[in-house]
Amino acid sequence: MGRISIFQRIFGKAKPPESGVARAEIIGGGNSFAAWSGDAYSNDIYRSAVDAIARNAAKMKGSHIIKYRNHERAEGDCRINRILQIEPNPYMSAFDMLYKLITHYYLYNNAFAYMQRDERGQLAAVFPLNPVHAEFMSDAGGVLYVRFIFSGGEETLLPYSEIIHLRRNFNGNGILGDPNDALSPALQLAHTQNEGIISAIKSGASLRGILRRTQIASPEMLKQIKDNFVKDYLDVTNNGGVAAIDSGSEYIPLDNKPYSIDEKQMQAVKDKIYNYLGVSEAIVNSSYNEDQWAAFYESTIEPLSLQLSLEFTRKLFNDRERAFGNSIMFESGRLQFTSNATKINLIREFMPMGLLTVNQALEILNLPSVENGDRRIQSLNYVDADKAEEYQLARAKAPTVLSAASGEGKGAADNE
C-alpha cells in the first residue's frame, strides 16, 4: 500500500473548477500574496510579542450557535463544535490551529485556513495554510479561486469560498492585507542593537596594550616575548596583578572604552515593536494587572474574536443558513484574569437581577458546577418592568377611586 502525503490528505478531495480560470483583477494593484521576507519572527522582541498575543487569543472557544428571532440562543451542530473546540484536523488541536492562524496574521498580515468538507458538503476539518505564494484567479462565471504554492513546491487551486482569510492592515489592496514594510526600520534598529552589544562584549577581549621593544629582536623572539608576557601577566590566573619587564621592553596600555547602548534607546525600539503589534510589555512578560489585561482584551483579543467569528460564519454557512440564525462565535473568558474581589462584586451586582445562573457564577469563580445549577436566582427587590408600570398605574388610580367612594357616601347621607 503506497504512502499518502499530508498534502494529498488535505487537498486530495478538493474539486477543481469546472471551467478554466484566469488571473483576477484585484482592486488596489497586485493580485497575489507572497510571504514577507523580512524574517521578523527571528527577532526575539517581535517573536515574544506575537507569542503573547497568539497564546492568549488561542484560548478562545469557537462554537456553532443558533440565534432565534425571540433572541433566544441555542447550541448548534455538535460535530462543528467538536472541530472548532477540540480537533480541527488530525494534526493539531483547536489551540494549535488558532495559535498558528494568529501567528501568521501578525507575521504576514494575511492568515489562510482551508475548510475541508465531506461528501455531503458538511465541515470535516480546518487546516491552517502557510503558503509562500498565493495568487487570486477567477473563472468565466466570476467565481474567485486561490492558487497556493507551498515551500516544498506543491501547489493547489481552491475556491476562495472555502478559505478562511484573516487580514490585518487591510488598506491598499482590495483583498489582501498590506505587508509589514512599515516595521522594517524598527526591526533593523533592534538587529543593530543586538549586534552592537555583541561587538561591545567582543571588544573587551581585543587589544589591551602594546609591548614595545626598545632593542632590536628577530620576529621569532618578538613573538616569544609577547606570548610569555601575555601568559604570565595578562592571564586571569595572574592573581598578583603585577608585571615585571626589563629595560628592553615597554608596555603601553590601551584604554578601550567599548560603546554601550543606552537603556532608553533599547526600550524605545522595543516600544515601537510592541506598539505596532498592539501589545504592552506587561502582557508580554506576564506582569500585567487587571486594568492592563482589560485594555489588552478590548484592543487586541476582542477584535480578533469578532474577525474570526464573522469570517467563519460567512464562509461556513450560506445566506439561507445565516438567515435562520446560524453563526460561529469565538468567545473568551474575559473575567478569568480579574481579581477575586472584582469577581465577587460582579456576582453580587448581577446575580440578584437574575442575569447569572448559579453555575455561571461558579464558573466565574473557577469552581465546578453543581446539580440544578442552571437556574437563575433573583431578588424580590427587582420586578419586571411591565409589572412595575402596572403597579405604579394602580397606585396612581387608587386615591381617585377612594375619593369617589367617599363622595358617594356623603351625598347619600345628606339626602337622608
Side-chain angles (χ1 to χ4, degrees), residues 275 328 331 365:
N275 292 339
I328 300 296
E331 300 170 308
L365 296 173

Side-chain angles (χ1 to χ4, degrees), residues 136-175:
F136 292 85
M137 316 179 80
S138 63
D139 61 11
V143 178
L144 193 63
Y145 290 83
V146 191
R147 183 167 70 94
F148 291 109
I149 301 176
F150 301 94
S151 58
E154 305 96 339
E155 64 177 78
T156 184
L157 185 65
L158 301 170
Y160 184 66
S161 59
E162 300 298 322
I163 300 298
I164 299 297
H165 184 192
L166 306 177
R167 293 165 283 207
R168 184 171 177 262
N169 293 342
F170 187 33
N171 176 43
N173 193 281
I175 201 167

Side-chain angles (χ1 to χ4, degrees), residues 242-277:
V242 178
I245 56 177
D246 58 13
S247 60
S249 301
E250 180 183 357
Y251 178 70
I252 304 173
L254 296 178
D255 187 14
N256 283 334
K257 295 182 178 179
Y259 173 74
S260 59
I261 299 175
D262 185 75
E263 185 177 351
K264 292 183 179 179
Q265 295 177 353
M266 295 183 65
Q267 187 63 41
V269 174
K270 189 181 293 186
D271 290 340
K272 284 176 69 71
I273 296 175
Y274 289 162
N275 292 339
Y276 182 85
L277 295 172

Side-chain angles (χ1 to χ4, degrees), residues 139-399:
D139 61 11
V143 178
L144 193 63
Y145 290 83
V146 191
R147 183 167 70 94
F148 291 109
I149 301 176
F150 301 94
S151 58
E154 305 96 339
E155 64 177 78
T156 184
L157 185 65
L158 301 170
Y160 184 66
S161 59
E162 300 298 322
I163 300 298
I164 299 297
H165 184 192
L166 306 177
R167 293 165 283 207
R168 184 171 177 262
N169 293 342
F170 187 33
N171 176 43
N173 193 281
I175 201 167
L176 291 166
D178 292 342
N180 279 319
D181 295 339
L183 186 64
S184 295
L187 292 176
Q188 290 174 1
L189 281 173
H191 177 73
T192 303
Q193 286 181 345
N194 290 335
E195 291 295 321
I197 293 173
I198 295 173
S199 298
I201 294 173
K202 287 182 177 180
S203 66
S206 61
L207 190 65
R208 299 181 186 177
I210 299 174
L211 186 64
R212 185 167 68 89
R213 239 351 237 180
T214 59
Q215 299 177 3
I216 299 175
S218 64
E220 292 79 8
M221 183 178 293
L222 285 174
K223 185 176 185 306
Q224 184 65 38
I225 293 173
K226 185 264 294 184
D227 291 342
N228 290 337
F229 185 84
V230 171
K231 179 181 178 182
D232 293 339
Y233 304 117
L234 298 182
D235 191 83
V236 292
T237 58
N238 181 21
N239 296 325
V242 178
I245 56 177
D246 58 13
S247 60
S249 301
E250 180 183 357
Y251 178 70
I252 304 173
L254 296 178
D255 187 14
N256 283 334
K257 295 182 178 179
Y259 173 74
S260 59
I261 299 175
D262 185 75
E263 185 177 351
K264 292 183 179 179
Q265 295 177 353
M266 295 183 65
Q267 187 63 41
V269 174
K270 189 181 293 186
D271 290 340
K272 284 176 69 71
I273 296 175
Y274 289 162
N275 292 339
Y276 182 85
L277 295 172
V279 64
S280 65
E281 188 170 6
I283 297 295
V284 175
N285 58 30
S286 299
S287 62
Y288 50 84
N289 56 33
E290 186 175 332
D291 294 334
Q292 290 169 329
W293 169 258
F296 171 66
Y297 181 91
E298 291 181 2
S299 62
T300 303
I301 301 297
E302 206 166 43
L304 282 171
S305 171
L306 178 60
Q307 193 171 5
L308 282 165
S309 300
L310 293 175
E311 181 67 2
F312 270 85
T313 297
R314 77 185 191 97
K315 292 294 180 66
L316 190 56
F317 303 112
N318 57 35
D319 290 341
R320 185 174 183 273
E321 290 169 334
R322 293 197 297 268
F324 278 96
N326 289 276
S327 64
I328 300 296
M329 291 289 294
F330 281 86
E331 300 170 308
S332 178
R334 177 181 179 179
L335 295 174
Q336 59 186 326
F337 295 101
T338 57
S339 65
N340 287 331
T342 300
K343 293 178 181 179
I344 292 173
N345 289 333
L346 180 72
I347 293 172
R348 285 176 176 172
E349 183 177 352
F350 284 178
M351 204 162 185
M353 300 174 64
L355 299 178
L356 295 174
T357 66
V358 175
N359 283 338
Q360 286 174 336
L362 291 171
E363 184 180 358
I364 292 174
L365 296 173
N366 296 320
L367 296 174
S369 58
V370 297
E371 188 176 357
N372 298 325
D374 292 329
R375 68 184 189 278
R376 297 180 185 273
I377 300 175
Q378 182 172 343
S379 171
L380 293 177
N381 293 327
Y382 298 93
V383 68
D384 183 84
D386 294 334
K387 293 183 178 179
E389 186 176 1
E390 293 176 4
Y391 175 76
Q392 290 176 344
L393 290 174
R395 288 286 302 269
K397 293 178 180 179

